[in-house]
Amino acid sequence: MMQQNVVLIGFMGSGKTSVGIKLSYRLRMPVEDTDKLIERREGCSVSDIFRERGEECFRQLETELLRELAESGSVKIYSVGGGTPVRRENRELLKKLGMVVYLRLRPETVYERLKGDTSRPLLQCADPLEKIRALMQERKSAYEEAADMILDVDAMTLEQIQDSIIMKMVSER
Ligand code: S3P
C-alpha cells in the first residue's frame, strides 16, 4: 500500500479521470474527481453551472473544494478539472494535496479524443481545435509549474501511464 497522494492534472481529454480510476484499483487507494464532487454537491452538471452561474462561479467552487481537500489529510488519488492549475492559489493547494502528475498531450490528440463531446462547455464553439491550441498555450506554464512529474501521454497506453506513476511513487518513498 502506497501512502502518498497522487494528483492528476492536464488538459481536457488527457485521461485524468480514467487514469485515476485505474490507479485506484491497482493501488487500492480511493479516488476522487473534483468535477464529479462538485456535480454531486451542486446537484447539477459542470455544463449547467457554466451556463446558469458562469465560469467564475465554477472556479470559485473549485478553489473552495481544493481548500477543503487539502485540509482533510486522507490518502487518495485525485483527478481535477483541466483548468484547475490556472489559479496560483490552486497550484499551491494541488502541491499540498500530493505528488502532482501532469498528463501532457498535443492539441490534435485532444481534438481527436473530444470531437463530438458536449460535456465540455469551453469547447462548444465554432473552431474547437483553435480553442484547444489557444487555451493550452495560455495554460502551459501553469501546468508545468504545478507538476512534480510530466508524462507525454499522446502515444501511451493506460497501463504505461500507471506504470510510470507507480515507479515514480516508489522512487520517492
Ligand atoms: C475545464 C475542464 C473540465 C471541467 C470544466 C472546465 C477546463 O474538466 O472542469 O469543463 O477549464 O479545462 P476535464 O479536464 O475533466 O474535462
Side-chain angles (χ1 to χ4, degrees), residues 11-12 16 35 46 50 58-59 81-83 120-122 139:
F11 205 77
M12 293 172 262
K16 299 169 299 247
D35 283 341
V46 169
F50 267 69
F58 174 74
R59 298 300 172 201
R120 269 69 170 205
L122 292 175
R139 294 175 175 180

Side-chain angles (χ1 to χ4, degrees), residues 7-21:
V7 186
L8 300 163
I9 66 166
F11 205 77
M12 293 172 262
S14 57
K16 299 169 299 247
T17 310
S18 317
V19 171
I21 292 170

Side-chain angles (χ1 to χ4, degrees), residues 7 30 39 47 59 62 65 70 89 116 121 128 134 138 156 171:
V7 186
E39 290 185 331
S47 300
R59 298 300 172 201
E62 217 176 14
L65 174 61
E89 176 182 2
E138 214 177 283
M156 285 175 88
S171 78

Side-chain angles (χ1 to χ4, degrees), residues 144-158:
E144 286 168 4
E145 199 183 299
D148 294 309
M149 174 191 202
I150 301 179
L151 290 175
D152 286 301
V153 298
D154 300 270
M156 285 175 88
T157 63
L158 274 177

Side-chain angles (χ1 to χ4, degrees), residues 2 27 37 56 63 65 74-75 79-80 100 106 112 116 131 158 163:
M2 308 256 184
L27 299 177
L37 275 177
E56 198 45 38
T63 299
L65 174 61
S74 55
V75 179
S79 51
V80 302
V100 182
R106 294 165 44 239
E112 278 309 312
K131 183 71 186 278
L158 274 177
D163 290 345

